[in-house]
Amino acid sequence: MAAPIDISVVVPFYNEQQVAREFHRRLSAVMEKLDGAITWEAVYVDDGSVDGTLEVLKEAQRTDDRVIVVELSRNWGHQPAVMAGLCTSRGRAVVLMDGDLQDPPEVIPDLLAAWREGGQVIIGRRRSRAERGVRRWMFGAFYAVLGFLTDYPIPLNAGIFGLLDRRVVDAIARMTETNRYLPGLRSYAGFAQRVVSYDRAERAGGEPKQTFGRLLKYGLDAIFSFSYKPLRLATLLGVLVAALAVVYGVALVVFRLLDTGMFGIPVVDGYTSTIVSVLILGALQLITIGILGEYLGRVYDEVKRRPLFLISEIHASDPTLRDAVMARAQAGTRGASQGSSS
Ligand code: UDP
Ligand code: MG
């Protein structure tokens, strides 16, 4: 039985060949400066990279036995990759961060300090954002909408960067939903929450892997899995339109009976009003059906209960550790191992 691990650092990588080696270097430098009694491991998840990322990670694992590499069966996406890492990790506390060095490893000591002071969920909040132009504007708009709609107080301007106590990790691993928005689940879990502010850096290299489409899905997951307000909004809109329609209808009938025409416009010529009301009602119906669809699609995903991720191989120095990790990852959130390693 190996010594218990204090800190796990879980990092997803997808085609990050340009930055993976530098990431490991900077992380190790930070971790080695901590109190020497602290034991730590790095759980690097290769999310089906098609460049040399896996090789770089395996190289790090060969030269540093604190590294575990989780090789997923294909590209599953950011959130599933993070879940695979969470299910693999063993530390009493788990640090989550991106592998492109946008979340600076140098902030980890601050996270640990907040944890030692009793925090169980430490959230890294971006004091500044490295994104520019349209992307920056989109993030701003997203957080404004999320802040208004969500039923849970999800800290704004926070991604996955932060630290989770083991109890929180276990709680989140037991949550079975497929469409995951980790910052939301983290808030939902409760526990003692603390916020640590940091300056978000530029990517150290390569292109963003979260394409616009993926970010949009991620954003919609955030809104629709943590809020019923869009549904309520649809109902409210319906009530409002119905009320207006009644007022307008009554007015039409009255003007018709008085035979004065409405504000001088002959009522029989009702072409404009017909077209306008048909268009408005049609649009409202499409919007509300769309909102229903967003929820329905997610319900469909949830009832299928497919695994969140599949692991094809775990690379770790100690083979018994590998088997144990494999078993635990399998027992975790519907993740399963495949392939030769078992
Ligand atoms: N990532 C991943 N799988 C994916 C997309 C991204 O594991 O399908 C990783 C990526 O390598 C990076 C982190 O998730 O370490 C964040 O991705 P990215 O920098 O593209 O997102 P952004 O910073 O734009 O939110
Ligand atoms: Mg990034």
Side-chain angles (χ1 to χ4, degrees), residues 241 244-245 248 252 265 269-285:
V241 172
L244 288 176
Y248 185 52
L252 279 185
I265 307 160
D269 275 1
Y271 175 74
T272 317
S273 59
T274 310
I275 290 294
V276 167
S277 54
V278 164
L279 288 180
I280 290 180
L281 283 177
L284 282 181
Q285 279 171 349

Side-chain angles (χ1 to χ4, degrees), residues 9 48 83 89 139 160 194 271 329:
V9 182
M83 279 316 298
S89 70
F139 275 110
I160 63 158
R194 304 264 190 289
Y271 175 74

Side-chain angles (χ1 to χ4, degrees), residues 90-109:
R90 301 167 293 170
R92 286 167 43 230
V94 178
V95 173
L96 292 180
M97 59 197 299
D98 285 349
D100 58 2
L101 289 170
Q102 283 200 284
D103 305 330
E106 291 72 25
V107 179
I108 293 178

Side-chain angles (χ1 to χ4, degrees), residues 12-14 16 47 75 77-78 81 98-100 102 131 135 200 203 208-210 214-215:
F13 290 93
Y14 174 54
E16 302 286 7
D47 188 17
N75 177 236
H78 181 240
D98 285 349
D100 58 2
Q102 283 200 284
E131 280 82 11
R135 233 171 135 83
R200 187 139 164 102
R203 259 186 166 270
K209 307 303 174 316
Q210 296 278 66
R214 285 190 174 202
L215 279 179

Side-chain angles (χ1 to χ4, degrees), residues 3-269:
I5 306 282
D6 295 317
I7 318 289
S8 301
V9 182
V10 167
V11 194
F13 290 93
Y14 174 54
N15 294 347
E16 302 286 7
Q17 149 182 302
Q18 294 183 48
V19 287
R21 192 170 291 117
E22 172 67 4
F23 180 90
H24 184 61
R25 199 192 57 72
R26 263 176 69 185
L27 178 69
S28 310
V30 169
M31 299 307 282
E32 274 152 21
K33 268 199 235 119
L34 299 175
D35 176 357
I38 292 178
T39 52
W40 62 279
E41 66 180 4
V43 179
Y44 294 150
V45 182
D46 174 61
D47 188 17
S49 299
V50 290
D51 63 356
T53 304
L54 180 62
E55 278 318 307
V56 174
L57 297 179
K58 276 158 76 175
E59 171 66 28
Q61 190 272 318
R62 273 194 297 275
T63 53
D64 186 341
D65 56 15
R66 294 167 301 197
V67 175
I68 299 175
V69 177
V70 179
E71 190 186 331
L72 297 186
S73 65
R74 63 168 167 86
N75 177 236
W76 286 79
H78 181 240
Q79 295 290 300
V82 169
M83 279 316 298
L86 273 184
C87 292
T88 306
S89 70
R90 301 167 293 170
R92 286 167 43 230
V94 178
V95 173
L96 292 180
M97 59 197 299
D98 285 349
D100 58 2
L101 289 170
Q102 283 200 284
D103 305 330
E106 291 72 25
V107 179
I108 293 178
D110 297 345
L111 300 178
L112 292 179
W115 178 55
R116 274 197 223 93
E117 281 162 19
Q120 290 170 302
V121 175
I122 320 297
I123 296 161
R125 182 160 52 201
R126 296 154 191 174
R127 203 182 291 134
S128 61
R129 219 170 228 296
E131 280 82 11
R132 295 273 169 270
V134 188
R135 233 171 135 83
R136 185 192 186 102
W137 184 87
M138 297 272 314
F139 275 110
F142 164 69
Y143 283 116
V145 172
L146 182 65
F148 170 70
L149 284 179
T150 180
D151 297 332
Y152 297 94
I154 298 175
L156 306 180
N157 278 315
I160 63 158
F161 189 34
L163 177 147
L164 301 175
D165 188 83
R166 171 53 48 190
R167 291 172 59 185
V168 184
V169 172
D170 290 345
I172 288 180
R174 272 199 303 276
M175 296 177 189
T176 55
E177 64 215 74
T178 305
N179 297 299
R180 284 173 171 261
Y181 178 63
L182 200 78
L185 293 177
R186 190 170 60 180
S187 295
Y188 173 85
F191 295 96
Q193 310 219 348
R194 304 264 190 289
V195 173
V196 168
S197 294
Y198 73 104
D199 292 307
R200 187 139 164 102
E202 303 265 5
R203 259 186 166 270
E207 295 296 310
K209 307 303 174 316
Q210 296 278 66
T211 57
F212 179 74
R214 285 190 174 202
L215 279 179
L216 191 68
K217 166 164 192 313
Y218 190 44
L220 291 177
D221 275 347
I223 290 168
F224 289 112
S225 35
F226 286 97
S227 178
Y228 295 112
K229 279 187 195 147
L231 280 177
R232 239 171 276 149
L233 220 63
T235 317
L236 227 82
L237 221 60
V239 171
L240 196 77
V241 172
L244 288 176
V246 167
V247 173
Y248 185 52
V250 168
L252 279 185
V253 171
V254 169
F255 283 123
R256 177 80 209 156
L257 290 178
L258 297 176
D259 204 19
T260 58
M262 202 172 184
F263 307 122
I265 307 160
V267 182
V268 278
D269 275 1

